[in-house]
Amino acid sequence: MAWTTFLSPIRGSFANQKQVYAIGALLKSNKKSFPQQLYVSALLYIDHVLAKKSLESIQALLCCALFSIRSSMGPSVWNLSGLALRQCIELGYHRNVKKINLKTNLLRLELRKRVFWCAYQMDCASSVNLGLPLSLPIQEVDTEFPLDIDDSSITETGVEGPPRPPGGPVTTMSHALHQFRIRCIWARIYASIYSNSATQSHSDESYQAQVQSLRRELDEWMAATPPEPQRAGVPLTVFANTEDYKVTYNETILFLYRGQLTRRENVQDEVFLECMQAASDICQSCKRLYIGKPINYTWSTLHVIFLAGLTNLHCLWTSPAVRQAARIDSVSNSFTTCTMLLAIMAERWEGAAPYRDLFEALASRAMAMLVERKQHEPLSTSPAEPAIPNMEDLTQWAAQIADVGMPDAFGSLLSGLIGDYSLEGQESNDSLWEF
């Protein structure tokens, strides 16, 4: 009995340690199969950890989810983060410890809060990206954020020094807390605008008031972004990068206004123009983050780039105000950047190829229409041009994207674009492009 008691924690920590090594190996170029080998070896020890339903088992699930985020193999991030979050709920990690009279040391308390918020932000991000309901409504969460303090300042007996004041020096937790806060904003956007109860109870006035309130909250979040930490070498991840925060900010703008974009009635021109600008900014920020850098792409990177490209197309396709304001060189630059990013991803990951092909086809058609309209020439809708794929190609690419889980955002934007692309939609094409 004595040796099994000793072995259990060693097996648990060994599994998590192997996963940490596997995640680290994914960050390096020319990695071949080494990260996968480390990950598979970690799974040999993980069953014992998961069976305990403890802090350590949640940490193991989060390690699995983080590996899946950065790898083309591994289970669904949504499934893993959801499982980790449900274990947090079962253990009461979503509750304020003062309300449940929990007695524990400070180190354990901080770890509880950290694993909960890591699980919550992963689940929130993956749910929103996939167009699925959140596993835990934000209204049901009342636990505090972890302390904004360096890891070295926390012991089992207390905290050495005060937490970071607003505008103070960045700690090892500052950027993680900033990520937690933006996911809380995402959760409130979903609850206030996209949940079933919200869509049934909103009047136009209350809807606009909610949007404006959430937008102010988003702007305040961006203004409070911690300074980028000093790095000794070339960064291997986008975490804590100022450009990545810009991507998240603009992605949140698209999430906030997406319901208005696809409503196709009583949409203010300013909404289309702002979403067009946000989508273009996402493409340019991703170009600065990834092109010529050793940072590897993730599934969420593919999602945000493709969504930005579709939003650009949708705004240009739908809004006369956007078409009048659009400069051909700016639109061409955005389309080229998005296509280039998707093409590079498709070279590294076969699953990205349908995204590249579909966007390239739609962007080519939209660009041709814009140039012709700007030059006051008749629209050409002939399918005989060899560079323009037919509807069967478009439908096939869309089906391939759907096979890996097409989010609601993709479906709502694509349905109109592909429909207008078809020959049968020639009359609607003409009406869409009337100034």
Side-chain angles (χ1 to χ4, degrees):
M1 181 65 69
W3 70 267
T4 55
T5 304
F6 170 77
L7 182 61
S8 297
I10 291 179
R11 291 179 67 185
S13 62
F14 186 65
N16 288 351
Q17 186 181 54
K18 283 270 191 178
Q19 291 198 81
V20 170
Y21 289 155
I23 295 166
L26 283 171
L27 301 178
K28 302 294 290 183
S29 301
N30 302 318
K31 53 187 178 294
K32 297 184 179 179
S33 61
F34 183 55
Q36 285 74 21
Q37 292 172 359
L38 287 170
Y39 179 72
V40 170
S41 66
L43 297 183
L44 298 175
Y45 301 91
I46 204 170
D47 287 346
H48 177 80
V49 185
L50 297 180
K52 294 193 297 184
K53 291 188 178 180
S54 62
L55 179 69
E56 289 73 21
S57 66
I58 300 171
Q59 289 173 326
L61 286 168
L62 292 175
C63 285
C64 288
L66 191 55
F67 183 87
S68 290
I69 287 174
R70 298 192 168 278
S71 173
S72 58
M73 67 171 290
S76 160
V77 176
W78 180 73
N79 285 332
L80 288 170
S81 60
L83 182 56
L85 186 59
R86 283 190 290 276
Q87 286 201 14
C88 287
I89 296 170
E90 184 177 354
L91 296 173
Y93 287 8
H94 64 305
R95 291 301 183 199
N96 189 310
V97 293
K98 295 178 181 178
K99 294 183 179 180
I100 60 177
N101 295 319
L102 179 69
K103 304 298 182 183
T104 185
N105 64 56
L106 183 62
L107 179 59
R108 194 76 177 179
L109 174 60
E110 284 301 300
L111 287 174
R112 282 172 56 101
K113 292 188 288 187
R114 290 186 183 192
V115 297
F116 170 77
W117 284 110
C118 283
Y120 191 84
Q121 75 96 10
M122 281 189 187
D123 178 78
C124 179
S126 59
S127 296
V128 169
N129 286 342
L130 290 171
L132 298 172
L134 304 189
S135 299
L136 178 64
I138 190 65
Q139 302 93 316
E140 300 297 327
V141 178
D142 61 8
T143 187
E144 311 97 325
F145 284 128
L147 294 175
D148 191 356
I149 200 163
D150 287 314
D151 292 346
S152 58
S153 300
I154 302 175
T155 67
E156 293 185 3
T157 57
V159 176
E160 299 175 1
R164 171 181 177 255
V170 173
T171 72
T172 53
M173 276 300 297
S174 298
H175 287 280
L177 287 166
H178 204 54
Q179 292 284 355
F180 298 159
R181 291 188 178 100
I182 190 61
R183 300 311 174 199
C184 288
I185 294 175
W186 280 28
R188 283 191 282 274
I189 291 174
Y190 178 83
S192 302
I193 297 177
Y194 297 107
S195 66
N196 190 47
S197 59
T199 55
Q200 293 178 354
S201 61
H202 271 317
S203 64
D204 285 342
E205 293 77 12
S206 63
Y207 177 87
Q208 291 299 331
Q210 286 280 6
V211 170
Q212 292 171 10
S213 174
L214 290 164
R215 179 57 190 272
R216 286 193 297 270
E217 195 173 346
L218 173 61
D219 290 338
E220 290 170 1
W221 172 85
M222 189 63 185
T225 300
E228 191 170 335
Q230 296 292 328
R231 293 182 170 93
V234 178
L236 299 177
T237 175
V238 299
F239 181 74
N241 191 301
T242 302
E243 287 294 340
D244 187 54
Y245 284 129
K246 292 179 183 178
V247 171
T248 303
Y249 173 77
N250 286 302
E251 184 182 8
T252 309
I253 289 177
L254 299 187
F255 181 36
L256 181 61
Y257 293 119
R258 189 181 72 212
Q260 297 182 58
L261 284 183
T262 56
R263 196 166 52 188
R264 288 181 177 263
E265 57 182 17
N266 300 324
V267 183
Q268 297 179 351
D269 291 338
E270 291 76 11
V271 172
F272 282 111
L273 291 168
E274 183 157 19
C275 288
M276 181 78 171
Q277 185 61 54
S280 299
D281 289 345
I282 287 173
C283 294
Q284 298 306 319
S285 290
C286 287
K287 179 182 177 180
R288 289 188 285 269
L289 279 171
Y290 294 102
I291 300 298
K293 305 289 178 62
I295 299 174
N296 290 320
Y297 298 92
T298 64
W299 184 89
S300 60
T301 308
L302 171 63
H303 171 273
V304 71
I305 293 172
F306 187 65
L307 181 60
L310 286 185
T311 302
N312 258 327
L313 286 167
H314 178 82
C315 292
L316 194 65
W317 213 278
T318 308
S319 170
V322 169
R323 292 194 295 275
Q324 287 180 335
R327 289 177 44 179
I328 291 178
D329 57 340
S330 297
V331 174
S332 176
N333 183 39
S334 293
F335 285 173
T336 301
T337 299
C338 188
T339 302
M340 177 175 60
L341 289 165
L342 293 173
I344 294 173
M345 294 185 72
E347 289 179 358
R348 303 181 184 180
W349 178 32
E350 185 179 351
Y355 295 81
R356 173 203 60 198
D357 296 337
L358 184 55
F359 178 77
E360 188 174 17
L362 293 172
S364 297
R365 183 61 173 271
M367 198 67 213
M369 285 182 169
L370 181 63
V371 171
E372 289 170 353
R373 177 58 70 178
K374 290 286 186 180
Q375 294 176 347
H376 302 287
E377 295 178 1
L379 288 175
S380 172
T381 56
S382 170
E385 299 178 28
I388 300 180
N390 56 36
M391 277 298 296
E392 291 183 1
D393 290 331
L394 295 177
T395 305
Q396 180 183 357
W397 294 329
Q400 290 173 338
I401 293 173
D403 287 342
V404 296
M406 180 186 291
D408 287 348
F410 291 1
S412 57
L413 294 174
L414 274 175
S415 59
L417 290 171
I418 292 181
D420 293 337
Y421 191 102
S422 65
L423 284 177
E424 291 77 10
Q426 180 172 346
E427 292 183 2
S428 63
N429 271 337
D430 292 339
S431 64
L432 278 174
W433 286 82
E434 289 294 333
F435 284 92

